[in-house]
Amino acid sequence: MYVYLCGMICDMKGEYSVFFESKTYNTKYRTQFITITPDVEKYVADSGILEGTIVIQTLHTTAGIWVNENEKNLIGPTEEIGYASDLRRVLDRFADPMHDYGHNDIADSNNIGGKRNTHLCEPDENGVIQECVNGHAHAQGMILQSSISLIVHGGKLLRGGWQQIMLVELDHDRPRTVSFLIQGIQQ
Amino acid sequence: MYVYLCGMICDMKGEYSVFFESKTYNTKYRTQFITITPDVEKYVADSGILEGTIVIQTLHTTAGIWVNENEKNLIGPTEEIGYASDLRRVLDRFADPMHDYGHNDIADSNNIGGKRNTHLCEPDENGVIQECVNGHAHAQGMILQSSISLIVHGGKLLRGGWQQIMLVELDHDRPRTVSFLIQGIQQ
Amino acid sequence: MYVYLCGMICDMKGEYSVFFESKTYNTKYRTQFITITPDVEKYVADSGILEGTIVIQTLHTTAGIWVNENEKNLIGPTEEIGYASDLRRVLDRFADPMHDYGHNDIADSNNIGGKRNTHLCEPDENGVIQECVNGHAHAQGMILQSSISLIVHGGKLLRGGWQQIMLVELDHDRPRTVSFLIQGIQQ
């Protein structure tokens, strides 16, 4: 199925070049999988890199990058399809949002003896700290990586027919920034 | 145990070069771990890259790349050792092939109201679609990555004594293509 | 929150350079998360690379690299906080150290019919092999990667405010080597 003619471009010398870009996506719900393949392919085309690599990196601790099939029964949205998506179920069985996490026991004026007394935002005028209760999302972040490297070949992102690049929201709706660095030989 | 002399090659300038190769492996069974280290090391040697990196990428959504120990009790084959390999048990507890997945409920002439009505192959003359029942394999694909980056140092793949590069089949027997891009300073 | 001015450095040509370094960390207990961000940032600064990437790679099969928040309730140490850290609980539910693993059934003079008769250290004078009972740690090593790639941008490691680079010990206390390769355009 996948045939590559390996000739003059298999071992290529030339001018090294780097291209950098960032984009912010507004996520809408927990375990949203946003397909970002068109952006990735546009940046690869814009870069003019012929042979090289792209690193795709989130700047967040409760979001990840995943390369797989974006079929709706796998990825949801759960609310739209009317039943839990396959991957939400699997991720939640790995690290259940309803379990207790020490990370969620936030020390503030409402909870003086809370276990988590560092890595906190500033309290409001009532001494209450607005933090996400997201221990499960950090744990799920062990599975879905902060960054991936993919190959750029023949001036294009190398990917199989079913491979899509997805940004995965493990926490709640918010802006999420993804950065892209493409390096290689420029045409 | 691991000692590196860090001298003139620690900060190296020179001609940037890229080497690309692909190879297809015929997998034989579910959760097969195929050691591809000899191929990786051959490509690194062929490339002549002295200092740089290699990206190893599958072009599939139900296969992954893993760097670890290829001991038979860990990786199997289950049928050969006569008991379930450790990692098949762990992967299947994470995403059980016997569970129900919406992804497996394929809409065709045998199953008119099936949930999965996109991302399908063409039906045959009887309206039946030959698709793998592989929701579990996509879920296990969250754990085993589509691509990895490793270091090339001193003209060789950098790896610890027990580290082997493995292609992991999460679905059934089939051809699987892996691509390799090596970039860096050529000797 | 994250704003990047994308001007002259977005598409940059220049002299390609590679920087390599290794460091050994002495881990102290199972599921220790050691923050190595200061070392990573020092090596990026030392390299003088302005735009490029860094690959961070362990040379071990029961240790991993993770990018996330180093909050003590998440990562422990369990003994210090007085309760199991969130991530130790999640990792151990994924692959329980108390379960049976074929990998742990070591064939030596104490256990003649042991399943694991390859990938072993030399026996001592009594025919006893000193091997870690660490099947769970290899399995957990499917989750925590051997290597990661991150972006170097504007002469600095690109990371979000909560992102820390951590070496994760999945087995027992021992020396662990991490290697760093930075490549890109040097200033």
Side-chain angles (χ1 to χ4, degrees):
Chain A
M1 288 300 145
Y2 302 99
V3 177
Y4 293 98
L5 295 175
C6 196
M8 54 171 284
I9 58 171
C10 279
D11 183 2
M12 195 170 180
K13 297 165 198 267
E15 189 173 28
Y16 174 76
S17 185
V18 179
F19 180 93
F20 176 83
E21 189 58 272
S22 289
K23 182 169 177 175
T24 298
Y25 300 87
N26 291 303
T27 66
K28 294 184 183 156
Y29 49 85
R30 189 170 80 80
T31 65
Q32 185 180 14
F33 290 70
I34 300 179
T35 299
I36 64 172
T37 316
D39 289 329
V40 177
E41 296 196 327
K42 178 183 185 304
Y43 298 144
V44 170
D46 287 351
S47 75
I49 301 289
L50 203 55
E51 299 289 313
T53 55
I54 181 167
V55 175
I56 304 171
Q57 177 181 342
T58 74
L59 299 180
H60 309 280
T61 54
T62 53
I65 305 291
W66 194 45
V67 178
N68 213 278
E69 188 178 335
N70 58 358
E71 192 269 319
K72 69 176 186 288
N73 291 282
L74 286 175
I75 64 171
T78 287
E79 289 69 16
E80 191 175 299
I81 57 180
Y83 41 88
S85 72
D86 294 333
L87 298 183
R88 179 185 283 194
R89 279 190 296 115
V90 170
L91 286 169
D92 286 357
R93 200 167 50 229
F94 174 76
D96 194 325
M98 308 307 287
H99 281 187
D100 287 332
Y101 296 87
H103 186 67
N104 295 350
D105 185 20
I106 292 164
D108 66 4
S109 62
N110 284 341
N111 183 29
I112 301 293
K115 290 172 179 169
R116 178 167 157 208
N117 51 18
T118 66
H119 294 69
L120 291 165
C121 301
E122 287 297 306
D124 65 17
E125 65 274 23
N126 298 316
V128 176
I129 293 174
Q130 304 299 330
E131 279 280 349
C132 306
V133 174
N134 64 4
H136 68 284
H138 289 283
Q140 293 177 358
M142 291 193 290
I143 289 185
L144 291 161
Q145 308 301 306
S146 297
S147 61
I148 59 162
S149 285
L150 296 172
I151 292 172
V152 174
H153 177 57
K156 293 185 177 175
L157 177 69
L158 182 68
R159 65 181 179 94
W162 296 109
Q163 286 184 316
Q164 299 288 341
I165 322 302
M166 292 176 265
L167 166 65
V168 187
E169 175 59 73
L170 297 171
D171 204 344
H172 66 89
D173 59 306
R174 60 173 72 178
R176 296 298 202 176
T177 298
V178 182
S179 291
F180 308 87
L181 189 138
I182 308 165
Q183 62 185 333
I185 289 177
Q186 205 173 35
Q187 56 202 356
Chain B
M1 288 299 146
Y2 303 100
V3 177
Y4 294 98
L5 296 175
C6 196
M8 54 171 285
I9 58 171
C10 279
D11 183 2
M12 196 170 180
K13 297 163 199 266
E15 189 173 28
Y16 175 76
S17 184
V18 179
F19 180 94
F20 176 83
E21 188 58 272
S22 289
K23 182 169 178 176
T24 298
Y25 301 87
N26 291 303
T27 66
K28 294 184 182 156
Y29 50 85
R30 189 172 80 79
T31 64
Q32 186 180 13
F33 289 69
I34 300 179
T35 300
I36 63 172
T37 315
D39 289 330
V40 178
E41 296 195 327
K42 178 183 185 305
Y43 298 144
V44 170
D46 287 351
S47 75
I49 302 289
L50 204 55
E51 300 288 313
T53 55
I54 181 167
V55 175
I56 304 171
Q57 178 182 341
T58 75
L59 298 180
H60 309 282
T61 54
T62 54
I65 305 291
W66 193 45
V67 179
N68 213 278
E69 187 178 335
N70 59 358
E71 192 270 319
K72 69 176 186 289
N73 291 282
L74 286 175
I75 64 171
T78 287
E79 289 69 15
E80 191 175 299
I81 57 179
Y83 41 88
S85 72
D86 294 333
L87 299 183
R88 180 185 282 194
R89 279 189 297 114
V90 170
L91 285 169
D92 285 359
R93 201 167 50 229
F94 175 76
D96 194 324
M98 308 308 288
H99 281 186
D100 287 332
Y101 296 87
H103 185 68
N104 295 350
D105 185 20
I106 292 163
D108 66 5
S109 63
N110 285 340
N111 183 28
I112 301 294
K115 290 173 179 168
R116 178 166 157 208
N117 51 18
T118 66
H119 294 69
L120 291 164
C121 301
E122 286 297 304
D124 66 18
E125 65 274 23
N126 299 315
V128 176
I129 294 174
Q130 304 300 330
E131 279 281 349
C132 305
V133 174
N134 63 4
H136 68 285
H138 289 283
Q140 293 177 359
M142 291 193 289
I143 288 185
L144 291 161
Q145 308 301 306
S146 297
S147 61
I148 59 162
S149 285
L150 295 172
I151 292 172
V152 174
H153 178 56
K156 294 185 175 173
L157 177 70
L158 182 69
R159 65 181 179 93
W162 296 109
Q163 286 183 317
Q164 298 288 340
I165 321 301
M166 291 177 265
L167 166 65
V168 187
E169 175 60 74
L170 297 172
D171 205 342
H172 65 90
D173 59 306
R174 60 173 70 179
R176 298 296 203 177
T177 299
V178 181
S179 291
F180 307 87
L181 189 138
I182 308 165
Q183 62 186 333
I185 289 176
Q186 205 173 35
Q187 56 202 356
Chain C
M1 288 300 146
Y2 302 99
V3 177
Y4 293 98
L5 295 175
C6 196
M8 53 170 286
I9 58 171
C10 280
D11 183 2
M12 196 170 180
K13 296 164 199 269
E15 190 174 27
Y16 175 76
S17 184
V18 179
F19 180 94
F20 176 83
E21 188 58 271
S22 288
K23 182 169 179 176
T24 298
Y25 301 87
N26 291 303
T27 66
K28 294 184 182 157
Y29 50 86
R30 190 171 80 80
T31 65
Q32 184 181 13
F33 290 70
I34 300 180
T35 299
I36 64 172
T37 315
D39 289 329
V40 177
E41 297 196 326
K42 178 184 185 304
Y43 298 144
V44 170
D46 288 351
S47 75
I49 301 288
L50 204 54
E51 299 288 313
T53 55
I54 180 167
V55 175
I56 304 170
Q57 177 182 342
T58 74
L59 298 180
H60 308 281
T61 54
T62 53
I65 305 291
W66 194 44
V67 179
N68 212 279
E69 187 178 336
N70 59 357
E71 191 270 319
K72 70 176 186 290
N73 291 282
L74 286 175
I75 64 171
T78 288
E79 289 69 16
E80 190 176 299
I81 57 179
Y83 42 87
S85 72
D86 294 333
L87 298 182
R88 179 185 283 193
R89 279 189 296 114
V90 170
L91 285 169
D92 285 358
R93 201 167 50 228
F94 174 76
D96 194 325
M98 308 307 289
H99 282 187
D100 287 332
Y101 296 87
H103 186 68
N104 295 349
D105 185 20
I106 292 163
D108 66 5
S109 62
N110 284 341
N111 183 29
I112 301 293
K115 290 172 179 169
R116 178 165 158 209
N117 51 18
T118 66
H119 294 69
L120 291 164
C121 301
E122 287 297 304
D124 65 18
E125 65 275 22
N126 299 315
V128 176
I129 294 175
Q130 305 299 331
E131 279 280 349
C132 306
V133 174
N134 63 4
H136 69 284
H138 288 284
Q140 293 177 359
M142 292 193 289
I143 289 185
L144 290 161
Q145 308 302 306
S146 298
S147 60
I148 60 162
S149 284
L150 296 172
I151 293 172
V152 174
H153 177 56
K156 294 185 175 174
L157 177 69
L158 182 68
R159 64 180 179 94
W162 296 110
Q163 286 184 317
Q164 299 288 340
I165 321 303
M166 291 176 265
L167 166 65
V168 187
E169 175 59 72
L170 296 171
D171 205 343
H172 65 91
D173 58 307
R174 60 173 72 178
R176 297 296 203 177
T177 299
V178 181
S179 291
F180 308 86
L181 189 138
I182 308 166
Q183 62 186 334
I185 289 176
Q186 206 173 34
Q187 56 201 357

